[in-house]
Amino acid sequence: MKKQSTDLLELPAGWLSPSPESARQFEQELQRELCPQHVLYNVPAQAVGRKDRRDDFLFKIPDNCFAQVHLTWRQETDPFWPATDLFSSFEAWKTSLDDEDFD
């Protein structure tokens, strides 16, 4: 099966595409932080975006779904951390941003 490219994702203003090296670091950090009860534990996740100057990241997960995760930069024992919102598609994620408060 051919791996689907994420290069075609048009991130909204305020979101940046990570370099391949940074993406690997963010993916490793995500796995380091997760406890076994977390919804993303053992789920393959590909870093595809980071909110500019924030610890919020967008990961592509199986079935063309997406997870927005607020990394904490520490190993967690609470399954609610790192805070994670799941989305059924890239468009669903982008639509959810319209509901956020402006910084």
Side-chain angles (χ1 to χ4, degrees):
M1 176 183 263
K2 185 178 177 183
K3 184 178 177 183
Q4 184 176 354
S5 172
T6 57
D7 295 339
L8 302 176
L9 296 179
E10 291 186 28
L11 295 170
W15 285 82
L16 307 171
S17 295
S19 68
E21 297 80 21
S22 293
R24 279 191 297 279
Q25 290 174 340
F26 301 145
E27 292 158 9
Q28 290 170 349
E29 179 60 25
L30 173 66
Q31 294 308 315
R32 186 183 78 81
E33 293 187 19
L34 301 176
C35 70
Q37 297 79 20
H38 193 278
V39 67
L40 292 180
Y41 187 77
N42 279 337
V43 173
Q46 178 185 7
V48 295
R50 179 180 188 174
K51 192 167 186 181
D52 191 24
R53 293 179 263 166
R54 305 278 188 206
D55 290 327
D56 296 314
F57 295 82
L58 182 65
F59 292 92
K60 184 173 183 211
I61 57 177
D63 298 325
N64 210 29
C65 295
F66 290 81
Q68 183 175 326
V69 180
H70 182 85
L71 294 180
T72 62
W73 307 103
R74 63 178 175 250
Q75 192 167 15
E76 298 292 347
T77 57
D78 184 334
F80 295 106
W81 292 101
T84 302
D85 292 309
L86 301 176
F87 300 92
S88 60
S89 67
F90 183 71
E91 289 304 318
W93 171 73
K94 282 178 61 175
T95 299
S96 78
L97 298 179
D98 295 339
D99 298 333
E100 290 183 353
D101 293 334
F102 290 97
D103 294 329

